[in-house]
Amino acid sequence: MSESIKLLSFESSCDDTSVALLESSSSLKPRLRSFAVQSQDELHEKYGGIVPELASRAHLANLLPCLKKVLGESEADLEAIDVFAATARPGLIGSLLVGHSAAKALAFIYDRPFISVNHLEGHIYSVLLERNLEFPFLSLIVSGGHTSLYRVDSMQSYECIGMTLDDAAGEAFDKAAKLLGLGFPGGAELEKLASGGDPSRYKLSKVKAPGLHFSFSGLKSDFSRLVQREGSNLSASDAAASYQSALLEHLESQVKKALAQTQLARLCIVGGVARNQALRARLARLELEEVIAPSPAFCTDNAAMIGLVAMEKYRRGEIDDLAADVGSTQRPSRARIRREKQA
Ligand code: KG4
Ligand code: ZN
């Protein structure tokens, strides 16, 4: 095996198919040689949400073109790859199986190590793709499937200290966008519409959640009632601005609570909703040592962040068996929610 390590990673946990090739010498941070993403937004738009079976089929169609692009751009062939890796959980089972099975098959054929990666670890450490950062830090994951807060102490040690009790922030953006007749996923469109609107025009009830958790279902119902009540009198841009402001207010208030409790001085915002400029601007105003979000391409699901985590696991000797399985979405246990509510 050559001195530098070439690692090929696959991400297919939801509706983005992605492949990346990373290279690392023993002491240096991995270099991203090439990466490809194929979105399925057009496919799911007409259904107003992700259709799991269509998503898995589309991954099957998109995976090889992504792989060819990455190998072509980096002028590498499969024989030259030292390690294969893929997202194993959480996500849609049928989708996960596509990337995971492809990586395992390649590892088997070329007799190379295989590494399973937790998608959320990928998001947490995605900030390190483009820069170095000192530990510890607070990480806010805000995506279409997840909204959680993590205290991150090192590449191996992190703790979830809060999570959504119902919808994810991205899901809440997408549902409101749908009510306003915007496309799917509508988070970015809603942000655009909101930028020309008055956030104080419509009063939406203040969001509450126990401890450091999040909850968006009440806000979403409130918004649905507003849209029905106002009918054709509704100003879509003012409604979008009012909704976005209430949603971001909730994220900011839980982040502030978490910072006060943990005394952390660095904050990372990751996941698809971290693309939202209004969210970035709000959190950048907090008086902290650093507030960091990845470039837009590394906020949404991508194989580069999966490769970064896999390279670390490889260095630590954490190789997975080829019988390794995939797993679906995690939710807080009912007992834990009840305890937090009583607190
Ligand atoms: O991280 P991601 O690609 O998928 C999951 O892992 O779930 O995030 C996709 C989510 C969608 O809900 C999308 O509407 C949202 O990120 N999103 C945004 C923006 N750009 C993407 N939400 C708010 N503002 C944006 N600019
Ligand atoms: Zn994600």
Side-chain angles (χ1 to χ4, degrees), residues 277-304:
Q277 293 300 328
L279 172 65
R280 288 180 182 230
R282 252 174 194 264
L283 298 180
R285 284 198 292 269
L286 299 177
E287 280 179 16
L288 292 170
E289 265 175 42
E290 283 180 294
V291 179
I292 299 149
S295 300
F298 300 131
C299 286
T300 36
D301 291 347
N302 67 85

Side-chain angles (χ1 to χ4, degrees), residues 11 13-16 50 119 123 142-146 168-174 184-192 244 270-277 299-302 305:
E11 156 62 38
S13 63
C14 191
D15 62 337
D16 289 313
I50 295 162
H119 181 79
H123 277 304
V142 265
S143 74
H146 308 276
E171 221 174 334
F173 264 106
D174 294 342
F184 174 84
E189 284 296 308
L190 193 138
E191 180 183 13
K192 231 185 271 166
Q244 176 173 269
V270 297
V273 182
R275 284 184 168 200
N276 187 290
Q277 293 300 328
C299 286
T300 36
D301 291 347
N302 67 85
M305 66 185 193

Side-chain angles (χ1 to χ4, degrees), residues 13-70:
S13 63
C14 191
D15 62 337
D16 289 313
T17 317
S18 181
V19 178
L21 177 59
L22 284 86
E23 189 164 1
S24 161
S25 65
S26 55
S27 56
L28 293 174
K29 197 167 130 69
R31 184 167 69 89
L32 181 60
R33 293 248 327 240
S34 171
F35 112 99
V37 184
Q38 178 61 55
S39 137
Q40 300 179 10
D41 288 351
E42 249 174 64
L43 172 69
H44 300 288
E45 184 167 9
K46 54 180 170 293
Y47 303 99
I50 295 162
V51 182
E53 182 166 335
L54 295 183
S56 354
R57 287 167 183 253
H59 282 306
L60 284 173
N62 296 339
L63 195 86
L64 291 181
C66 283
L67 177 58
K68 275 191 189 152
K69 179 171 179 271
V70 164

